[in-house]
Amino acid sequence: MSREGIRELQSKRLQETVRRVYENVPFYQKAFQEIGLEPGDIKSVDDLSKLPFTVKQDLRDNYPFDLFAVPKSELVRVHASSGTTGKPIVVGYTQNDINNWADLMARCFAMAGATKDDTVQIAYGYGLFTGGLGCHYGAERLGATVVPISGGNTKRQLMLMQDFGTTVLACTPSYALYLAEEAVHMGIDLPASQLRIGVFGAEPWSDNMRKELENKMGIDAYNIYGLSEVIGPGVSMECQCKNGMHINEDYFIAEVVDPETLEPLPYGQKGELVFTSLLKEAFPVIRYRTRDISVLIEEKCDCGRTFVRMERVAGRTDDMLIIRGVNVFPSQIESVLLAIGETEPHYQLVVDRKGAMDDLEIWVEVSDKMFSDEIRRLEELERKLRNEIQSVLGISAKIKLVEPRTIPRSEGKAKRIVDKREL
Ligand code: DLL
């Protein structure tokens, strides 16, 4: 489609979306009224910047279903992702939303060169996380053979990959690297296997990591981006030029704004990604601030597609970490530590990559009294913290209890995170 055609389509769908949220979601109606905006004021994408932003806190304030634009009986699915507090953020889908998402994800797999003749092993987590089921419906829509194995169980993944003749692997890049290394240990020659495509995303990774994965697995590895709030995986996807991810602009409008002033930035400038959904029924979003930093590329791609591209995500404007594909906020860890209460409120998160796996170590100061106590008591505390972190965050972490006054004190913002990963 020409750029002109895309703009026209977006303008039409934007008007419908604005009307839908105004009529069905009290939160948006109020936000529009506060700035004196009527749905009729939005006539085209040129009017986008008149609309208010939406942020993660708005999702939390309206937990669980108050931002939905349809009655609950119209929902056929919900997904959720971790937030900064104990409660997750919740998103919903109507049957049309699920069908659209499946089309979108089928398009993403096709962009990487997959067809109905492929066998797609989906090793993203199934469940409330959007990765597993999002890819699942898309690969089925493409007509491929889906192996819905979910994450983990690495030896079994590798065995089935060979036995079933898997040709496409969908998982996080860090899990792909783990699979590649484990294959070597098991004496499996992945480059000689039928595997040919990787669809990797849900966490930041680099071009060096791409090369590494491509060599170790004998595949072409493609970057896929998305977030639960906007739909899940499939917001953007690389084509075979591997030169930035094409944003599916018939479903979403992308903007990049200055994270401080919130002014929209021209193509080519780095800033925070903001998305507006164009077709979603259950959970439409207006100018959702992702906190992800990237750049939009307008130049036409060699593949011939006319959708703008976004560069790899270069970081975040908040302190969210992604560890083994799971979104983790330091504040969640802090609240676990404070709830247990036998440590000092001084802690640091040390993130590293050991081989293929992200490794999270939590350094916590214990009190003078505790420190002079029996080893058994310290071990007991360590175990308690480890279990509690596992149950709240859903990932394992090593706990390192340190002597009082050893974690550097800050004079401004505390440096809670030491990220040693070279992504
Ligand atoms: O991670 C959706 C997804 C699943 C995308 C499978 C791709 C593949 P959330 O759990 O809501 O959704 O996390 C969204 O993950 O705001 C980014 O910070 C980060 N992220 C997702 N994809 C990429 C990527 C899914 N390709 C958050 N590169 C987003 C860098 C990514 N970061």
Side-chain angles (χ1 to χ4, degrees):
M1 199 181 248
S2 67
R3 290 301 304 161
E4 194 50 40
I6 293 170
R7 279 181 73 80
E8 265 173 41
L9 183 70
Q10 287 187 326
S11 295
K12 180 171 156 281
R13 291 181 173 177
L14 177 65
Q15 290 180 56
E16 287 161 10
T17 296
V18 165
R19 193 161 293 283
R20 185 177 315 131
V21 299
Y22 188 83
E23 284 167 7
N24 298 296
V25 187
F27 165 82
Y28 284 113
Q29 190 172 80
K30 186 160 165 273
F32 287 13
Q33 282 168 350
E34 269 167 17
I35 53 171
L37 191 77
E38 300 267 335
D41 297 340
I42 306 298
K43 297 193 177 64
S44 80
V45 284
D46 294 330
D47 299 318
L48 195 62
S49 61
K50 293 181 184 160
L51 289 162
F53 290 100
T54 312
V55 294
K56 215 184 202 96
Q57 184 65 39
D58 297 324
L59 272 69
R60 262 182 247 135
D61 293 345
N62 290 283
Y63 176 87
F65 299 147
D66 285 355
L67 288 184
F68 291 3
V70 295
K72 196 150 169 255
S73 57
E74 294 298 311
L75 294 180
V76 298
R77 172 124 41 101
V78 293
H79 279 287
S81 115
S82 43
T84 42
T85 57
K87 300 272 192 206
I89 56 125
V90 183
V91 297
Y93 305 78
T94 63
Q95 189 58 57
N96 280 337
D97 291 335
I98 293 290
N99 294 347
N100 282 333
W101 191 17
D103 284 345
L104 195 60
M105 281 303 302
R107 179 194 285 172
C108 290
F109 280 112
M111 282 173 82
T115 70
K116 69 181 285 297
D117 298 327
D118 277 294
T119 299
V120 183
Q121 184 157 336
I122 297 173
Y124 285 112
Y126 278 65
L128 287 175
F129 177 53
T130 52
L133 285 165
C135 288
H136 183 106
Y137 277 63
E140 272 191 6
R141 176 62 54 92
L142 187 66
T145 309
V146 175
V147 183
I149 190 162
S150 193
N153 240 322
T154 306
K155 290 199 167 63
R156 195 148 171 268
Q157 297 261 3
L158 288 161
M159 178 185 82
L160 298 184
M161 197 179 279
Q162 291 187 295
D163 296 350
F164 295 176
T166 298
T167 52
V168 179
L169 173 66
C171 63
T172 60
S174 56
Y175 191 53
L177 192 59
Y178 184 49
L179 282 164
E181 286 174 358
E182 203 53 30
V184 173
H185 287 145
M186 288 169 69
I188 296 170
D189 185 3
L190 278 185
S193 76
Q194 296 188 51
L195 198 62
R196 62 186 198 93
I197 294 171
V199 176
F200 303 143
E203 63 183 8
W205 57 308
S206 60
D207 254 323
N208 284 338
M209 175 82 131
R210 185 204 314 263
K211 287 191 196 92
E212 178 120 6
L213 287 168
E214 292 189 330
N215 290 335
K216 285 196 156 119
M217 300 188 130
I219 57 170
D220 279 297
Y222 297 96
N223 199 359
I224 181 163
Y225 169 86
L227 59 163
S228 320
E229 298 90 315
V230 175
I231 201 161
V235 174
S236 66
M237 171 74 194
E238 272 181 335
C239 65
Q240 284 167 297
C241 300
K242 297 180 188 164
N243 200 4
M245 295 172 274
H246 287 279
I247 292 166
N248 284 307
E249 290 185 289
D250 45 348
Y251 290 81
F252 314 104
I253 304 179
E255 298 170 87
V256 161
V257 302
D258 180 320
E260 300 293 326
T261 64
L262 300 182
E263 281 304 311
L265 297 172
Y267 289 133
Q269 278 195 35
K270 190 182 268 187
E272 180 178 342
L273 280 168
V274 171
F275 289 102
T276 301
S277 69
L278 293 174
L279 285 176
K280 279 169 77 198
E281 292 179 344
F283 192 79
V285 280
I286 301 290
R287 300 190 89 197
Y288 184 73
R289 290 183 57 190
T290 61
R291 302 282 179 182
D292 290 323
I293 302 289
S294 184
V295 176
L296 294 178
I297 312 166
E298 193 191 17
E299 285 83 62
K300 202 162 172 212
C301 183
D302 289 341
C303 74
R305 286 181 183 80
T306 47
F307 288 162
V308 297
R309 285 165 288 158
M310 56 179 263
E311 282 183 5
R312 280 181 183 287
V313 172
R316 292 189 51 91
T317 63
D318 62 9
D319 55 2
M320 186 177 92
L321 285 163
I322 305 181
I323 297 172
R324 280 171 250 142
V326 177
N327 302 351
V328 174
F329 292 91
S331 56
Q332 290 175 297
I333 295 178
E334 184 173 295
S335 65
V336 169
L337 299 178
L338 292 177
I340 291 186
E342 291 167 53
T343 56
E344 296 291 311
H346 297 291
Y347 65 92
Q348 210 159 37
L349 312 180
V350 182
V351 196
D352 205 350
R353 185 157 280 179
K354 303 263 164 70
M357 290 291 272
D358 290 335
D359 187 82
L360 171 63
E361 236 178 53
I362 305 175
W363 294 27
V364 203
E365 276 185 21
V366 292
S367 59
D368 280 311
K369 179 175 172 310
M370 189 69 157
F371 203 71
S372 57
D373 228 325
E374 296 165 50
I375 293 278
R376 194 180 48 78
R377 283 241 316 165
L378 288 173
E379 282 174 353
E380 175 67 14
L381 175 60
E382 208 178 289
R383 196 185 49 77
K384 197 154 132 195
L385 288 169
R386 206 173 41 237
N387 290 346
E388 195 57 24
I389 294 284
Q390 169 82 51
S391 85
V392 172
L393 302 181
I395 57 164
S396 60
K398 293 201 187 80
I399 308 291
K400 186 167 154 183
L401 298 176
V402 300
E403 286 183 46
R405 292 169 295 278
T406 45
I407 290 177
R409 303 297 193 254
S410 73
E411 289 173 353
K413 282 182 196 290
K415 188 166 164 45
R416 297 280 186 220
I417 302 166
V418 181
D419 200 337
K420 299 180 177 166
R421 295 175 295 185
E422 279 169 23
L423 297 174

